[in-house]
Amino acid sequence: MTGSFDADRPIYQQLAHRFRERIVTGYWQPGERMASVRDLALEYGVNPNTVQRALAELEREGLAIPERTSGRFITEDEVLLRSTKRQLAVEATEEWAKRLRALGLNRAEGAQLAAVVWTDNHEPNGHEPGKPDKPDKPDKGE
Amino acid sequence: MTGSFDADRPIYQQLAHRFRERIVTGYWQPGERMASVRDLALEYGVNPNTVQRALAELEREGLAIPERTSGRFITEDEVLLRSTKRQLAVEATEEWAKRLRALGLNRAEGAQLAAVVWTDNHEPNGHEPGKPDKPDKPDKGE
DNA sequence: GTTACTGTACTAAGCACTTAGTACAGCGAT
DNA sequence: ATCGCTGTACTAAGTGCTTAGTACAGTAAC
């Protein structure tokens, strides 16, 4: 079981989000073959149906390509990978700004909070005890 | 109907979040009487039961105080109001930082994104056409 | 061919969220 | 007392998410 899930949102959406992160960060390399639906279900402690539902989203986005009988593969479209990564970062930042504006905070106050949070919680990496280190490829973010 | 809701998360939680924002920003003033469960349900286009479930959360947090037969009132505990507001802002920022770190971005890249988002989407206020302007009281955020 | 894997597609059950509807007790104004 | 409001508490139905279980077609290794 890799991590756990919020009870608030559908698991298949949280799964899709984690898969997206693994793909755009290069944790799963372009062209690489993904683990099977059944193996991923075991790894994450959920039902294979739930994994399949999550993967259906990634296929609609073109990040994963199903091969019907031989497995599922990560896209090699580097442009798509970069733009998806950028979009995820922008969305996260827009939501954050929206929430802070709803609280009546301005840009300067947001920046100050960001500085505090980014220095305090500094857990450099969240490695699973039993999992080997993957290439990761820093990618120098945009 | 004031705004709409994500299909992803329970409505009662989204409602509770909006109510919290209205309280800590002073849009609903301390000591003020809230609209009734039935009126809020009409205003937001949901079932009274859903509103009550949202309000139950605010009561557990001490932000709203039910008076059994005469209505529900906003707390006058200014310390609680300020600490709640601070906490909401910190939580939003921590989630944002967590998502960006998962994408492999560092603090500087996050700050750059923040600057972009905060200058582009500048919709100063989201007023409802039929609703009057409320005091709002800038509050100078912490 | 046989075996073992792959993606894909169903069913039935359990659970949480939402809704409509109903009901009761207490307060205030008439 | 009566009327109209308040918070509160329940039921029953519908819907969506999750799960276990089963099944089928295609590929690869043997």
Side-chain angles (χ1 to χ4, degrees), chain A residues 39-101:
Chain A
D39 284 348
L40 285 172
L42 279 179
E43 180 181 351
Y44 286 91
V46 298
N47 192 279
N49 299 329
T50 306
V51 172
Q52 189 171 353
R53 193 162 177 181
L55 292 174
E57 291 206 4
L58 300 199
E59 284 148 22
R60 266 194 284 100
E61 299 163 10
L63 293 176
I65 294 138
E67 219 56 47
R68 298 204 57 76
T69 63
S70 63
R72 207 178 307 252
F73 297 84
I74 308 301
T75 181
E76 305 191 53
D77 183 343
E78 299 280 358
V79 174
L80 176 63
L81 288 172
R82 287 183 186 280
S83 69
T84 301
K85 178 176 177 177
R86 171 79 183 178
Q87 190 190 349
L88 290 174
V90 169
E91 283 173 1
T93 308
E94 281 175 346
E95 281 184 33
W96 169 67
K98 182 178 174 187
R99 287 173 70 176
L100 257 58
R101 282 199 211 98

Side-chain angles (χ1 to χ4, degrees), chain B residues 13-132:
Chain B
Q13 285 188 11
Q14 301 179 53
L15 264 182
H17 192 259
R18 292 196 200 182
F19 293 161
R20 248 179 244 116
E21 286 177 348
R22 294 205 159 192
I23 292 174
V24 301
T25 57
Y27 182 89
W28 287 343
Q29 290 282 305
E32 182 180 341
R33 186 178 166 285
M34 295 177 63
S36 74
V37 171
R38 292 166 178 82
D39 285 349
L40 286 172
L42 278 180
E43 180 181 351
Y44 285 92
V46 298
N47 192 277
N49 298 328
T50 307
V51 172
Q52 189 170 353
R53 193 161 176 183
L55 292 174
E57 290 205 5
L58 300 198
E59 286 148 21
R60 267 193 282 101
E61 299 163 9
L63 293 176
I65 294 138
E67 218 57 46
R68 298 206 56 75
T69 64
S70 62
R72 207 179 306 251
F73 298 85
I74 308 300
T75 182
E76 305 191 54
D77 183 343
E78 299 280 359
V79 174
L80 176 63
L81 288 172
R82 287 182 185 282
S83 69
T84 301
K85 179 175 177 177
R86 171 80 184 176
Q87 189 190 349
L88 290 174
V90 169
E91 283 173 0
T93 308
E94 282 175 345
E95 282 184 30
W96 168 67
K98 183 180 172 185
R99 288 173 67 177
L100 258 57
R101 282 199 210 99
L103 290 172
L105 304 190
N106 60 30
R107 175 179 170 176
E109 291 159 342
Q112 187 181 344
L113 265 175
V116 171
V117 166
W118 226 295
T119 52
D120 286 352
N121 314 9
H122 213 239
E123 205 169 333
N125 236 327
H127 283 159
E128 212 70 15
K131 308 224 69 164

